[in-house]
Amino acid sequence: MVHLSSSLLKKYHKGYIVIRLALAGHKQANRPFYRVVAAFNKRARDGKYIEQLGSYDPLPNVHNEKLVSFNLDRIKYWMGCGAHPSKPVAKLLGLAGFFPLHPMTVTEAERLKVQTTDLAAGAEGEGVQEEEPKQQSA
Amino acid sequence: MFKVIGGRALPAARLLAPRCGVWVESVRGRKSRNDPPAKSKEGRIKLPPPVDPVEMVVMKERFTEYNLIMRALRLEFKEEVLRKKYEEETGSLAEERARQDAEEHKILMEWNDAENRRMLKIRQLRVQKETAEADQRKLEMILKRDHERQAFIQQKEQEILQLQEDAKNFITLENLDQRIEEALDRPRNYNYAIDREGRVVKRTVLD
């Protein structure tokens, strides 16, 4: 068994390093749990990774919280070595405050707000319209 | 997404129908590459999702800003990594460590040299003693051999003398007649018994 040094590994893999979410523990159905992981780009999602940099639990807990953890020191190191974060990881880090807030987060929030205001306006409008015909009829 | 048999996605056409007992929850793509599209999809034109131009402009701005900040952050992190590496290799702590390592090495080397010298002295004494003993033994061997040779010579001389003395009583051609005469004149009687203690018994059964 030959253990290659980092430069040789890079040459062997010919890819770049990404910080992404890997699904952990396939032993339970309908209960996902993600690890924030530094891995080579071409590796399988759940395959061998270089280092684990945190975790993310997508299902809310008893107090309605979704728990996320990050090893910021190591994330800084890997970013300094040229790692790219994936979109969900970038979004999570933006929400955490380590990165600037991702534009898509803001856009999604705005769209949701527009949608809810439309619905509320629609409901009010309907309520007003219902009252008017009732009054007219009455 | 869903469980796939054997880790590879097989087209459904190749899988056995449920009536044979083999069941698969869900598989991506019922049709293979060369199958024609369905009649219901005849006039279908696939379009990308609709884009709001106002939103798009705003989004572009936000993304340029975001990318700018991200690039700056990346450079910062790279700089920090390089600085840490530099500190590790040529910082003050590194010098201290190097100095301590060198000192330790020097101490150990001195100890090693002292040990070597001690062992050398011991070895020299031992070798000296061994050579002395070897010489001693060699001398002893030589002496012993000389003694043995001397003894051998002595023994041989004794035998020669004995033989010379015995030769006086030998029967030669000149003495032959004389000795025959003497033997005939003095008859010897060997008819006696003797036991281990040397008691002689001259009386025999024949008498």
Side-chain angles (χ1 to χ4, degrees), chain A residues 73 76-77 79-80 83 90 98-100 102-104 106-107 110-111, chain B residues 3 55 58-59 62-63 66 69-70 73-74 77-81 84:
Chain A
D73 191 28
K76 267 197 273 188
Y77 168 77
M79 293 292 291
F98 190 62
F99 282 3
H102 194 96
M104 284 313 291
V106 180
T107 322
E110 281 175 354
R111 285 179 189 165
Chain B
K3 279 207 199 103
E55 204 189 28
V58 171
M59 284 287 282
R62 284 195 192 137
F63 263 110
Y66 179 76
I69 300 173
M70 281 304 287
L73 272 177
R74 227 185 277 276
F77 294 150
K78 206 178 282 195
E79 194 198 323
E80 196 182 328
V81 162
K84 264 197 203 159

Side-chain angles (χ1 to χ4, degrees), chain A residues 2-138:
Chain A
V2 178
H3 286 277
L4 302 172
S5 67
S6 64
S7 48
L8 286 170
L9 267 175
K10 235 185 162 123
K11 203 79 190 133
Y12 170 72
H13 284 280
K14 284 196 198 301
Y16 49 92
I17 304 184
V18 288
I19 303 175
R20 63 182 181 198
L21 299 172
L23 202 58
H26 241 180
K27 283 92 180 174
Q28 239 183 354
N30 297 321
R31 188 30 179 126
F33 179 82
Y34 295 97
R35 277 192 241 241
V36 180
V37 131
F40 276 107
N41 177 40
K42 293 288 183 192
R43 282 272 183 190
R45 181 195 67 192
D46 303 338
K48 191 161 139 183
Y49 51 78
I50 302 170
E51 190 183 351
Q52 186 184 351
L53 306 167
S55 59
Y56 167 56
D57 183 8
L59 301 186
N61 69 358
V62 181
H63 309 285
N64 207 19
E65 305 162 336
K66 291 188 190 173
L67 297 171
V68 179
S69 65
F70 290 116
N71 187 352
L72 293 172
D73 191 28
R74 294 304 292 171
I75 290 175
K76 267 197 273 188
Y77 168 77
W78 283 114
M79 293 292 291
C81 291
H84 298 270
S86 66
K87 259 203 299 196
V89 167
K91 284 187 180 167
L92 281 173
L93 282 166
L95 284 171
F98 190 62
F99 282 3
L101 203 57
H102 194 96
M104 284 313 291
T105 325
V106 180
T107 322
E108 292 288 324
E110 281 175 354
R111 285 179 189 165
L112 194 65
K113 197 158 62 163
V114 164
Q115 221 178 22
T116 44
T117 46
D118 278 346
L119 276 173
E124 279 182 17
E126 279 179 16
V128 165
Q129 279 176 9
E130 278 178 10
E131 282 175 15
E132 283 182 7
K134 274 188 199 164
Q135 283 179 351
Q136 283 179 358
S137 65

